[in-house]
Amino acid sequence: MSAQIGVTGLAVMGANLARNLARNGFTVALHNRSVEKTDALLAKHGGDGEFIRTESLQELVESLEKPRRVLIMVKAGAPVDSVIEQLVPLLETGDIVIDAGNSHFQDTRRREAALAKKDLHFVGIGVSGGEEGALNGPSIMPGGSKESYAALGPLLEKISAHVDGQPCCAWIGTDGAGHFVKMVHNGIEYADMQVIGEAFDLLRSGAGIEPAEQAKIFTEWNKGTLSSFLIEITAEVLAHTDGRTGKPFVDVVVDAAGQKGTGRWTVISALELGSPTSGIAESVFARALSSQAAQRAEAQQKLAGHEESIAVGEDFVEDVRQALFASKLVSYAQGLDMLTGAAKEYGWDLKLDEIAALWRGGCIIRAELLKDITAAYAAQDKPANLLFAPAFSEAIAGALPAWRRVVATAVGLGIPVPVFSSSLAYYDGLRRKRLPAALTQGLRDLFGAHTYSRIDAEGTFHTLWGEDKSEVEAADTH
């Protein structure tokens, strides 16, 4: 019996992807460094479909039909390189090595180039949806060559989530494009979770609404424009009561958020691209600050607050809903704009409508508004920025007064809302006719002769600050 695909690395995600493939009619060869994990999977879930048990990578490769498809699901970084190093001597021209973990896209580009020299295909695929998605249908973002997708795509499309009969899987672009898009997805996810947290804090600390009551509010919000997986599970978490203490579950969890690196990678890549992902950056920094337990404890003793006594109005809950929607929309706009910059930098032909469509199902940031985002980028007149699409510019215009009220109230109450406020600043920065960058450029010219452009003349200029302050064309300064 020949397997259509092999999976090496049978921790939860690898095991669930293998089970998903088997459930969908594919014969799957299984391999793990410790055979015990392979046997445990077969003992518990062998009835999910056709599996082939192997004890070595050599056996795994020998059990596969050609072109061989080997899916690696191990920890990102050196472990992936180690498996590739062991696999490559066993493979033949045209075989496909797949990395379905959260690898950095530059590692994927490096590996793809190295394997191409050996006439092998390397495919980095982003998989979103967590353990449940891996088993029941994730959003899948594959990179690599078009040729490799022809052989691999039908399998991935069948096991992916489906929305309106369409698979949440499509070829993204060459080399590291798939992992890059998954990274940006995770960056948006960071911002999305942070604005939800800020909304919760505002309703609790500002309006005194307890978690159980908030659960009802979030459930109601999930029926409208905010409808999304994260809003849905927020209601579930807030409704949960701790079994030990009888307190709201959210009150017994330490307020220090962890991170595995993809959000941080997004911000670093955005800085390298010069892409203003301020909301995503603030969400990463908010997690970092939450984890500085010792400094926060000392700050509570030493730092003044001077919060104002502000009575929130009866419309405050609705204001927060609108501010949450606007901030959420900005996080998508910043992420998609970053993809546009990356496409130019790395030579990828990224289709934003197809990418938005992939995120409609299976993944963590799946949301109702992705249908409108898909439509905006599928239109003939594609927006240069998501916020410029008429549906969204009108929506934000309607939410803007509430958004401003919420940020002002938060500041007065001393409640930190880094993503609400930075997203509003991004919006205002885009639409303002003049920005203080003119002064910044003047300062740069004074201390470093970095030159400037004028609004009334072509070319670049420098002022002789240390002399008579006359202006010369930049070319005359050298």
Side-chain angles (χ1 to χ4, degrees), residues 185-413:
H185 162 285
N186 284 21
I188 295 171
E189 177 188 312
Y190 271 55
D192 207 343
M193 284 195 280
Q194 177 63 26
V195 290
I196 290 171
E198 290 173 17
F200 159 73
D201 198 8
L202 284 161
L203 295 179
R204 185 84 180 280
S205 304
I209 303 173
E210 293 302 308
E213 190 61 30
Q214 284 202 44
K216 298 175 185 176
I217 292 170
F218 276 91
T219 297
E220 195 61 33
W221 286 355
N222 196 45
K223 297 174 184 176
T225 55
L226 280 172
S227 175
S228 65
F229 173 67
L230 285 171
I231 295 291
E232 176 189 337
I233 65 172
T234 296
E236 184 177 351
V237 171
L238 291 176
H240 184 52
T241 301
D242 177 51
R244 292 193 203 177
T245 63
K247 295 179 180 179
F249 168 75
V250 74
D251 286 348
V252 301
V253 177
V254 174
D255 58 339
Q259 53 182 307
K260 290 189 173 179
T262 47
R264 183 171 66 249
W265 290 349
T266 306
V267 177
I268 292 169
S269 294
L271 289 169
E272 291 171 344
L273 292 167
S275 183
T277 55
S278 51
I280 296 172
E282 287 292 354
S283 69
V284 174
F285 293 140
R287 292 196 188 190
L289 187 147
S290 75
S291 298
Q292 293 188 330
Q295 285 195 35
R296 288 180 58 205
E298 188 173 351
Q300 289 161 33
Q301 304 299 319
K302 295 182 176 179
L303 299 184
H306 294 301
E307 295 92 344
E308 297 177 25
S309 179
I310 296 175
V312 299
E314 59 182 25
D315 296 328
F316 187 65
V317 172
E318 173 58 16
D319 279 359
V320 171
R321 185 193 70 81
Q322 293 193 46
L324 175 56
F325 177 76
S327 300
K328 184 185 184 84
L329 193 54
V330 166
S331 69
Y332 281 92
Q334 291 182 347
L336 290 163
D337 189 51
M338 182 176 169
L339 293 182
T340 300
K344 293 175 184 174
E345 178 70 20
Y346 301 117
W348 298 326
D349 181 21
L350 300 183
K351 295 178 173 60
L352 298 187
D353 57 330
E354 291 184 4
I355 291 169
L358 299 187
W359 294 344
R360 291 182 303 155
C363 70
I364 304 302
I365 64 170
R366 59 187 185 267
E368 189 68 25
L369 63 81
L370 279 160
K371 292 181 181 178
D372 290 334
I373 294 175
T374 301
Y377 285 109
Q380 191 168 355
D381 187 17
K382 294 175 173 54
N385 184 297
L386 178 64
L387 302 183
F388 301 165
F392 296 125
S393 59
E394 291 168 13
I396 286 199
L400 195 55
W403 198 6
R404 295 197 190 286
R405 285 194 296 270
V406 166
V407 171
T409 300
V411 172
L413 292 171

